[in-house]
Amino acid sequence: MNWNFFNLIFFAFFLAISCSKNRNETIIKGNIPNLPDGTLYIFKESMLNKLDSIPTSNGKFELKYKNQSNIPEYIGIFHIDKKNVKRVFGFPTNVPKWGSSVFMTDPLIEVYGSIAEYKPTNIMPPKDVIFVYSPKLKIGEQTTAFFNSGDPIFNFDDATPSIINIIENKVKQYPFSYYLLDKINENKNSFAPEQVDKFLKLFKGEITQSTTFKNLSAYNKKRYTEKNTSLPSLENISGEKSAILDSKYKKHLVVFWASWCGPCREEIPLLKNIYSKKDESLEFISISIDEDKNAWKKALNEEKMDWKQFIINGKDPNYEKIQMHFRLNGAIPYTVLLDNNSKILRSTVGLSSEKDLLDFIDDKK
């Protein structure tokens, strides 16, 4: 037997196993001279979701995080010193006027150089919380794509040709980017199905085998036949299923909300005011995406909205049909105006002012 050949095969197998084990590992290293001694925490998506921690000394630290998924995650760091002062990290990007509190789980993230304090806009932090910018980072390809694309390009009410062109060029530049795939998936109903197909064809490599890519492809295929699918009935406050739209009205204002959504609750007094003065040809409808029916019913009892109320969530088999028909991407409050043929006239995301909502309803707009 050729033992050299056997050893070579064994070594290759061992190397493949080792690489597979370390593939989803992120090492976060730091050398920040003006960081006080204390504890560094790593979190996923939100600082409330802490993953791990490590003591810091002389501004130096090294922390390993094992991602249990093959899909890159969004993680960040914050620090609490020995005086219990919390430092919340922000990171510079290459997108004008946009910074990020998270990066992605590349194999190596290095944070180095002195941190600088800054005051965030529209936030009044407690006295024991300091916001700091890290001036220098060494990052991998996923974070590079993230920091060179950024949320601003997806901050739109209407996917105009210029916005679509920007997104296409970003995907061509970063065809491996899970961030871009995530954002296209989040906003899928803002694009025509033909456009989503065009986006999908631009991605290359292992990302095309990801669950997100496959699910988006499957969802988008269904959109081509959505026009031939009837709108499902939904559960109302009495626990009965009934039709969403009443054909006797000329127009329908549909508001998607949830009991836990602060801006949604803030908008309700405005909706009530406009409802009390609305034209009789306009139907008001609210659809909650609450998973907890009791929380929904409690909110309805508190808010006392005198128009049609429905509930549905992502676990309901009909949720996809609702998503497709109303072009719901998930961000709420989401408001849609339809004509009496169930055609969407316009839509908007976010908290509205009275003027904005009146203009939104206006036939002439």
Side-chain angles (χ1 to χ4, degrees):
M1 179 180 237
N2 187 333
W3 288 103
N4 287 332
F5 176 76
F6 176 80
N7 289 336
L8 183 62
I9 294 297
F10 178 80
F11 177 75
F13 175 76
F14 176 79
L15 184 62
I17 294 296
S18 298
C19 290
S20 175
K21 286 182 178 180
N22 294 326
R23 183 179 181 185
N24 298 332
E25 184 176 80
T26 297
I27 298 175
I28 304 169
K29 297 176 68 174
N31 187 358
I32 305 171
N34 62 336
L35 182 69
D37 291 351
T39 303
L40 184 89
Y41 294 86
I42 178 175
F43 65 87
K44 178 181 175 181
E45 297 178 358
S46 164
M47 286 188 290
L48 297 175
N49 185 19
K50 294 191 289 288
L51 301 172
D52 203 353
S53 63
I54 190 172
T56 63
S57 178
N58 299 318
K60 295 182 179 180
F61 54 86
E62 181 172 328
L63 184 65
K64 294 181 181 179
Y65 169 62
K66 180 71 174 180
N67 181 358
Q68 300 301 317
S69 167
N70 288 325
I71 298 176
E73 298 177 332
Y74 299 88
I75 59 175
I77 56 175
F78 68 90
H79 182 269
I80 299 179
D81 66 23
K82 292 184 176 180
K83 294 181 179 179
N84 210 35
V85 174
K86 178 187 286 187
R87 284 169 174 80
V88 179
F89 278 73
F91 302 102
T93 72
N94 293 320
V95 179
K97 299 181 180 180
W98 181 72
S100 176
S101 61
V102 294
F103 41 82
M104 298 187 74
T105 49
D106 288 310
L108 177 63
I109 300 290
E110 288 191 55
V111 186
Y112 61 100
S114 297
I115 52 177
E117 182 178 343
Y118 76 98
K119 292 183 179 180
T121 57
N122 302 322
I123 296 177
M124 285 293 291
K127 293 181 180 179
D128 58 350
V129 175
I130 299 173
F131 285 80
V132 296
Y133 253 129
S134 169
K136 296 179 182 178
L137 279 176
K138 286 184 180 178
I139 53 181
E141 65 175 16
Q142 292 297 332
T143 306
T144 297
F146 175 33
F147 281 6
N148 282 280
S149 301
D151 286 353
I153 64 172
F154 290 96
N155 185 20
F156 56 81
D157 280 336
D158 184 27
T160 62
S162 61
I163 289 172
I164 289 171
N165 186 56
I166 291 171
I167 296 171
E168 282 185 2
N169 287 334
K170 287 295 180 182
V171 180
K172 288 176 184 176
Q173 186 178 3
Y174 304 108
F176 51 80
S177 172
Y178 281 87
Y179 168 76
L180 289 170
L181 179 61
D182 285 346
K183 297 303 288 187
I184 291 169
N185 184 49
E186 286 176 17
N187 293 278
K188 55 184 175 287
N189 292 305
S190 297
F191 307 110
E194 295 83 1
Q195 183 57 56
V196 173
D197 278 341
K198 192 172 180 181
F199 286 144
L200 289 171
K201 288 175 182 176
L202 296 175
F203 287 96
K204 307 294 181 186
E206 67 175 25
I207 195 171
T208 61
Q209 300 304 309
S210 69
T211 302
T212 304
F213 186 95
K214 291 178 179 179
N215 287 346
L216 178 55
S217 299
Y219 177 90
N220 202 53
K221 286 179 182 178
K222 295 177 185 177
R223 293 180 68 200
Y224 285 100
T225 59
E226 186 273 328
K227 291 181 181 179
N228 302 321
T229 305
S230 59
L231 195 59
S233 297
L234 294 185
E235 182 179 337
N236 59 30
I237 189 61
S238 301
E240 301 169 343
K241 292 287 184 75
S242 61
I244 301 171
L245 307 179
D246 189 333
S247 59
K248 74 178 183 182
Y249 292 93
K250 182 180 177 182
K251 292 185 296 182
H252 314 269
L253 187 75
V254 182
V255 180
F256 287 86
W257 72 294
S259 65
W260 44 261
C261 169
C264 301
R265 302 290 290 267
E266 189 178 342
E267 189 178 57
I268 289 173
L270 166 64
L271 293 172
K272 291 166 73 172
N273 183 44
I274 292 178
Y275 177 75
S276 68
K277 300 180 291 187
K278 76 175 182 66
D279 187 280
E280 290 184 359
S281 65
L282 176 66
E283 180 181 33
F284 261 53
I285 300 154
S286 286
I287 302 177
S288 168
I289 61 170
D290 271 286
E291 292 188 0
D292 185 342
K293 287 184 184 179
N294 290 329
W296 170 58
K297 290 179 180 179
K298 182 175 182 291
L300 289 181
N301 186 55
E302 292 169 350
E303 301 292 357
K304 295 179 170 52
M305 294 179 277
D306 295 329
W307 55 88
K308 288 164 75 172
Q309 303 292 328
F310 296 103
I311 186 169
I312 190 170
N313 62 58
K315 296 176 182 178
D316 191 305
N318 285 317
Y319 187 76
E320 252 191 12
K321 294 178 183 178
I322 296 296
Q323 267 190 306
M324 291 180 190
H325 188 88
F326 293 101
R327 300 178 195 165
L328 172 66
N329 287 315
I332 53 174
Y334 173 61
T335 307
V336 193
L337 186 70
L338 303 96
D339 65 14
N340 57 356
N341 293 314
S342 195
K343 177 185 175 183
I344 292 179
L345 301 174
R346 57 190 71 96
S347 62
T348 185
V349 176
L351 183 63
S352 299
S353 68
E354 183 167 356
K355 181 182 182 304
D356 288 341
L357 195 51
L358 289 172
D359 287 346
F360 184 84
I361 295 169
D362 190 352
D363 266 327
K364 297 175 184 178
K365 296 292 177 180

